[in-house]
Amino acid sequence: MDVLINVFVALHVIGIAALLGGFLTQMKAMGQGTARFGPAMLHGALTMLVTGVALVGLNQADDQAVNNVKIGVKLAILVVVLGLVYVKRDEERVDKAAFGAVGGLTAANVFIATLWT
């Protein structure tokens, strides 16, 4: 079970990398007002959602303690990010506030995952 959990953790990190990497590569474009959400950002957010749900299930099946409040906060943030990316994925230009919110919320999710004990 530990190997399976570690595989899903690795896939979860890949999803975070796709979402956050897509944001970071568009930082210059965001400053110019021409940033847009790429397919990698949408797929990264979806990967995070699917693997996160799987991780919760696998950890509970393995009788490990799961902090449901932490998971709920992370899920709420991810749903907002996924909603923003999904709704605005076809737009040629995304306003700075929405684009910055996705980057900030993604970074917040990473910090919640690592610092909330």
Side-chain angles (χ1 to χ4, degrees):
M1 186 69 97
D2 288 338
V3 172
L4 188 59
I5 290 172
N6 288 334
V7 166
F8 276 94
V9 167
L11 291 172
H12 196 67
V13 170
I14 289 170
I16 293 167
L19 180 58
L20 199 55
F23 170 79
L24 292 174
T25 59
Q26 296 270 335
M27 289 283 292
K28 186 174 182 182
M30 184 178 81
Q32 298 169 347
T34 60
R36 60 178 305 186
F37 294 127
M41 295 177 75
L42 176 62
H43 295 143
L46 287 170
T47 300
M48 287 174 59
L49 178 64
V50 171
T51 57
V53 169
L55 281 168
V56 170
L58 288 171
N59 281 315
Q60 287 181 340
D62 199 28
D63 289 329
Q64 295 181 21
V66 176
N67 186 341
N68 290 320
V69 175
K70 174 182 173 179
I71 298 303
V73 169
K74 286 178 55 56
L75 179 62
I77 291 171
L78 182 57
V79 166
V80 170
V81 168
L82 188 56
L84 281 170
V85 173
Y86 185 77
V87 168
K88 298 193 176 279
R89 73 188 184 281
D90 292 330
E91 293 184 11
E92 286 296 319
R93 296 177 184 200
V94 178
D95 58 316
K96 292 179 184 180
F99 200 80
V102 167
L105 289 171
T106 301
N109 236 354
V110 170
F111 285 114
I112 289 169
T114 56
L115 299 176
W116 187 335
T117 56

